[in-house]
Amino acid sequence: MQTTQAVEIGLVLYPGAQQAAVLGLTDLFAVANREALSHLPHAEPPLRVTHWQQSSPDTLPRRVFDSAPDSTAPAILSALILPPTLDDPVGVAKTGTLSAWLRARHTEGVTLTSVCAGAFPLAATGLLAGRKMTTHWAYATLLQERHPDVIVDIDQLIIDDGDIITAGGLMAWTDLGLRLVDRLLGPTVMIETARTLLVDPPGREQRYYSLFSPRLTHADAAVLKLQHWLQATQAKEMALPILAAQAGLQERTLLRRFQKATGMTTTEYCQRLRVGRAQELLQFDTASVERVAWDVGYSDTGAFRKVFTRIVGLSPSDYRRRFSSSPRAGVS
């Protein structure tokens, strides 16, 4: 078996964080590791789970638990999870030190995630301005009042925006955990993990296989800056001069570094972001395909259909018929 770089998932134990979710997620990833070892040629578990905690509100979080403390394999921090809390959600989001630390990790390419009221310390980072996030329905109004620049959408259990993932209900940590397992270890390991835990995966599987998960841990700061901008603006702008200006690079330099960092061209990357947004609209909205095309940046519906079918493997109408959550959704 080969020794490969482990992927680290950090759980942030902010004051009041629900221990049941912290321990449950730790166990879920342990099960995923066991399943992965039976399918993949790893000498050591591919996932490394750590817990991060502040000793006081003014100190930086530090590791207080490591699932593989004696491992010599290198690990790269890929995701941080802000679990639920049963305490006042506004109170737990007051520490500016935690917000700054989360922003710094995000800048390094770490995916930030939250469950239920964990949305409050995540929103406090300012990274969700103009973007959608979900939380428990009981907290929706309060979250919107505290962060009016955030688009709060409680109709979705999980909102996966690539670099930021939010989950709604108190027990939605299982859904978030499986989403990360699918992203990091693949759908086979995710399904086996769900079966072992007796968590029904069919409702989750619909969107897993075709979701675009951008590569964010490449350490190219200029490209990462552009990726975050594209994510926040839903890739409405694809013109190379504008992309290069956002990255602060010459156009030819951007094309070379973007391909190296993400594994795809800027055009393909933007297309996949747009198609991912279109999939969401086709599933949860009743707008016509023409309207969806326009909303994600395509004035030519024919071009949109062609790109969508190439990436997803289904036409927009077929995709809606198969996966729409609304029985009244149009199929034009």
Side-chain angles (χ1 to χ4, degrees):
M1 289 187 178
Q2 62 185 26
T3 299
T4 58
Q5 186 178 57
V7 177
E8 181 180 344
I9 300 176
L11 293 158
V12 183
L13 280 63
Y14 60 84
Q18 187 193 33
Q19 291 298 309
V22 172
L23 297 177
L25 281 163
T26 302
D27 288 343
L28 184 150
F29 295 131
V31 172
N33 269 331
R34 188 175 66 192
E35 297 297 338
L37 289 173
S38 68
H39 290 284
L40 304 173
H42 289 288
E44 295 187 24
L47 295 182
R48 188 168 179 171
V49 182
T50 54
H51 296 175
W52 297 74
Q53 190 170 33
Q54 294 174 281
S55 58
S56 71
D58 297 324
T59 60
L60 294 174
R62 62 183 182 85
R63 285 188 184 90
V64 294
F65 169 81
D66 189 334
S67 64
D70 299 323
S71 175
T72 58
I76 182 169
L77 184 61
S78 179
L80 285 169
I81 301 174
L82 291 157
T85 179
L86 298 178
D87 294 344
D88 172 22
V90 175
V92 304
K94 289 182 177 178
T95 166
T97 303
L98 177 60
S99 294
W101 183 77
L102 290 170
R103 286 194 299 270
R105 303 291 77 73
H106 180 260
T107 300
E108 295 169 354
V110 176
T111 299
L112 301 183
T113 74
S114 68
V115 182
C116 191
F120 284 81
L122 180 55
T125 64
L127 296 170
L128 276 298
R131 301 176 66 173
K132 292 203 318 185
M133 71 183 312
T134 190
T135 186
H136 192 286
W137 60 266
Y139 296 135
T141 300
L142 181 59
L143 182 62
Q144 191 69 81
E145 290 174 351
R146 297 288 299 182
H147 302 281
D149 55 351
V150 173
I151 303 170
V152 180
D153 181 0
I154 58 170
D155 291 333
Q156 298 187 53
L157 181 63
I158 284 189
I159 295 179
D160 186 341
D161 210 13
D163 59 329
I164 296 177
I165 308 173
T166 55
L170 188 65
M171 294 299 293
W173 58 263
T174 59
D175 299 84
L176 176 63
L178 291 174
R179 175 63 59 94
L180 289 173
V181 170
D182 177 79
R183 173 183 288 198
L184 300 172
L185 300 180
T188 299
V189 174
M190 182 275 290
I191 292 171
E192 292 301 322
T193 301
R195 287 175 178 167
T196 299
L197 296 172
L198 298 181
V199 178
D200 185 23
R204 305 177 180 95
E205 289 178 51
Q206 296 186 106
R207 303 179 66 193
Y208 278 115
Y209 295 100
S210 55
L211 283 178
F212 173 48
S213 297
R215 187 188 301 173
L216 300 169
T217 54
H218 46 69
D220 189 322
V223 172
L224 186 61
K225 176 185 176 183
L226 176 59
Q227 287 178 275
H228 289 327
W229 180 79
L230 288 170
Q231 204 80 42
T233 60
Q234 299 177 358
K236 291 292 182 65
E237 181 56 69
M238 293 174 59
L240 182 58
I242 294 178
L243 301 186
Q246 287 293 328
L249 299 172
Q250 296 295 319
E251 293 179 16
R252 293 182 63 182
T253 302
L254 172 63
L255 292 176
R256 174 176 54 81
R257 285 172 55 174
F258 196 94
Q259 176 89 42
K260 180 180 179 181
T262 68
M264 60 186 69
T265 65
T266 56
T267 298
E268 183 181 3
Y269 189 94
C270 291
Q271 287 176 341
R272 288 183 175 274
L273 281 178
R274 288 181 172 189
V275 166
R277 171 61 177 157
Q279 288 175 269
E280 180 182 344
L281 292 174
L282 290 167
Q283 285 183 287
F284 298 105
D285 203 326
T286 59
S288 67
V289 171
E290 288 75 16
R291 180 65 192 183
V292 169
W294 180 266
D295 285 345
V296 300
Y298 287 93
S299 58
D300 183 343
T301 305
F304 165 70
R305 292 179 190 272
K306 184 176 180 180
V307 171
F308 188 98
T309 302
R310 175 175 59 82
I311 291 176
V312 178
L314 293 170
S315 70
S317 297
D318 288 340
Y319 184 86
R320 167 170 274 166
R321 276 189 286 268
R322 184 171 181 181
F323 296 123
S324 174
S325 62
S326 172
R328 299 176 60 188
V331 294
S332 59

